[in-house]
Amino acid sequence: MKRTIPIAKPLLGRDEQEAIKEVLESGMLVQGEKVRLFEKEFANYIGVKQAVAVSNGTAALDTALKALKVGPGDEVVTPAFSFVASSNCILYQGAKPVFADINARTFNIDPSEVLNKITAKTKAIICAHLFGQPADMKELKETAEDHKIALVEDAAQAHGAEYRGQKVGGIGTIGCFSFYATKNMTTGEGGMITTNDSELARRARLLRDHGQAEKYRHVILGYNYRMPEVCAAIGLVQLRKLDGFNKKRRGNAEILTKGIQKISGLIPPQVNERVKHVFYQYVVRVEDDFPIGRDNLAEHLIKMGVGVAVHYPIPIYKQPLYRELGYGKATCPRAEDVCKRVLSLPVHPAVTEENIAYIIGILEKVS
Ligand SMILES: Cc1ncc(COP(=O)(O)O)c(C=O)c1O
């Protein structure tokens, strides 16, 4: 039988099924008790005063920037290398994304590049904790504080990750999470905003529900970004499993790294000393001295039943949409180089030690 090791696999069981059944039987389907409880437990888990549930991670970022009153004429510094939502949320405000280059080993936004990009128009910095590794929060926070601008944490890939013992999503001005199916914990689709600022949380609650201060009294222009009860019920169960999932991801990453560091031409992900990385993705660099190029290696692994992916093949500013908008001339050489080299290998909790031995065996044979 052909072996298949997927790149992602949501782990849902009997507990999630029971939780869904309970919601369906209750007849309360949207933004009720389960959503309130999920917000409370998520806020406790992250260590923040407020959590606001929304329909997905993109809605969380959009709502966060709207709550911060980012608008036309404002600039927001964002990583050149991330999922496109880290930048599209700026376009939604009619504001201007300004792209900062990354650290070529951790793949996270480079704080000195951020500093270079600050102008009088900068309203906020967005940092993504990419692939589950917290960004350099000390430096980014100092820059944000010095310039009196907001620091938005795109924590869509980093539930439970820690920077110097503090959970991401509770370090900057406001944090944004995604519970998309492949994430460290899932609700199918879903998102969460986290903050210690009660005014930002108040605005976020209005924005997600058509600006309703009370039933049919609309005080600001809002949206329908509400979370269904079924999603919150799944989220409550997944949140209880999150630390276990992350432990397995970290363990898998450790075994992968042991194998990969012996293979010349492949560089395992670099983990900063001051962080707890939760390995949403396990991303290796394929160097020029590896016998075959990244794309050929990906093709070979897929042929052998190993689900791999390229996160991400193009810097955001070179995406067709961004070229069309005139951003294509930006230059972030490290992001451009990394896009040509990165390859994500399966690391999720359903990956077994035997799976990893199989993957390493293939890589050794090619090397
Ligand atoms: C870094 C990052 N930001 C934002 C998002 C958007 O989240 P969602 O897909 O839930 O809208 C994602 C999701 O893939 C992401 O990886």
Side-chain angles (χ1 to χ4, degrees):
M1 206 177 71
K2 191 174 181 288
R3 191 191 292 256
T4 47
I5 309 168
I7 182 73
K9 188 174 193 298
L11 286 180
L12 300 159
R14 184 64 59 82
D15 327 0
E16 283 84 354
Q17 287 173 17
E18 289 298 324
I20 292 170
K21 205 164 142 232
E22 195 192 311
V23 171
L24 296 183
E25 284 169 2
S26 79
M28 178 70 200
L29 293 184
V30 179
Q31 212 171 278
E33 224 19 73
K34 293 287 180 195
V35 168
R36 271 190 288 279
L37 194 57
F38 185 32
E39 290 179 337
K40 193 166 163 242
E41 292 198 6
F42 199 81
N44 280 345
Y45 179 81
I46 298 298
V48 287
K49 290 190 189 135
Q50 301 270 348
V52 182
V54 289
S55 48
N56 55 64
T58 308
L61 285 165
D62 187 25
T63 303
L65 294 194
K66 286 185 164 73
L68 288 163
K69 300 188 177 168
V70 173
D74 293 332
E75 294 179 358
V76 178
V77 182
T78 190
F81 181 70
S82 180
F83 182 62
V84 73
S86 306
S87 171
N88 281 358
C89 59
I90 304 165
L91 295 182
Y92 299 155
Q93 319 310 319
K96 183 181 170 197
V98 175
F99 295 99
D101 210 346
I102 55 163
N103 177 314
R105 294 302 166 101
T106 64
F107 310 122
N108 270 326
I109 196 164
D110 179 339
S112 60
E113 289 285 311
V114 172
L115 197 54
N116 285 339
K117 303 284 167 146
I118 304 272
T119 71
K121 292 180 182 169
T122 310
K123 189 84 184 258
I125 300 164
I126 296 179
C127 64
H129 305 300
L130 209 63
F131 307 139
Q133 168 145 242
D136 294 312
M137 295 310 284
K138 178 176 175 283
E139 294 79 358
L140 292 171
K141 218 174 152 171
E142 276 168 11
T143 300
E145 281 168 5
D146 287 352
H147 294 86
K148 298 192 171 37
I149 57 178
L151 177 57
V152 179
E153 294 179 68
D154 180 347
Q157 306 186 351
H159 321 67
E162 292 174 14
Y163 179 87
R164 290 185 168 163
Q166 197 178 353
K167 291 231 165 47
V168 302
I171 304 171
T173 316
I174 194 161
C176 300
F177 290 84
S178 161
F179 303 121
Y180 178 66
T182 62
K183 298 295 194 259
N184 294 47
M185 61 171 283
T186 184
T187 62
E189 294 273 11
M192 192 74 83
I193 295 158
T194 49
T195 184
N196 285 312
D197 183 326
S198 54
E199 175 54 18
L200 284 179
R202 187 190 69 83
R203 283 183 55 76
R205 286 182 201 287
L206 286 173
L207 284 159
R208 75 164 167 191
D209 193 19
H210 276 298
Q212 286 195 95
E214 54 200 71
K215 195 88 183 152
Y216 300 128
R217 203 169 73 85
H218 305 270
V219 293
I220 58 170
L221 177 63
Y223 303 81
N224 176 1
Y225 286 166
R226 294 182 299 259
M227 176 180 275
E229 284 284 277
V230 162
C231 295
I234 299 171
L236 280 162
V237 178
Q238 289 268 303
L239 182 58
R240 274 171 228 137
K241 297 180 179 176
L242 176 61
D243 285 343
F245 287 159
N246 283 342
K247 194 168 171 214
K248 186 76 170 66
R249 284 177 182 273
R250 286 162 53 77
N252 281 344
E254 205 180 313
I255 308 171
L256 278 161
T257 293
K258 268 192 197 131
I260 285 166
Q261 65 194 7
K262 292 188 196 134
I263 301 175
S264 127
L266 293 183
I267 301 187
Q270 180 180 304
V271 181
N272 268 343
E273 261 174 25
R274 49 192 179 179
V275 310
K276 177 176 174 187
H277 192 323
V278 292
F279 288 97
Y280 168 59
Q281 297 293 350
Y282 183 91
V283 179
V284 297
R285 287 176 51 115
V286 183
E287 299 300 311
D288 292 339
D289 56 342
F290 195 71
I292 59 174
R294 189 268 314 272
D295 292 343
N296 287 336
L297 178 59
E299 205 178 302
H300 179 61
L301 283 161
I302 287 167
K303 227 184 268 164
M304 299 296 285
V306 181
V308 296
V310 174
H311 300 107
Y312 297 92
I314 313 176
I316 295 176
Y317 59 82
K318 284 206 163 164
Q319 289 286 351
L321 163 70
Y322 282 82
R323 282 183 192 271
E324 187 89 358
L325 293 172
Y327 290 95
K329 287 186 285 305
T331 45
C332 295
R334 276 171 267 150
E336 296 202 9
D337 185 59
V338 157
C339 286
K340 293 180 201 141
R341 303 189 178 285
V342 282
L343 187 65
S344 307
L345 303 176
V347 72
H348 55 83
V351 174
T352 64
E353 281 194 38
E354 192 268 333
N355 291 155
I356 297 175
Y358 174 73
I359 296 167
I360 298 293
I362 298 170
L363 296 172
E364 279 172 347
K365 231 179 190 167
V366 178
S367 72

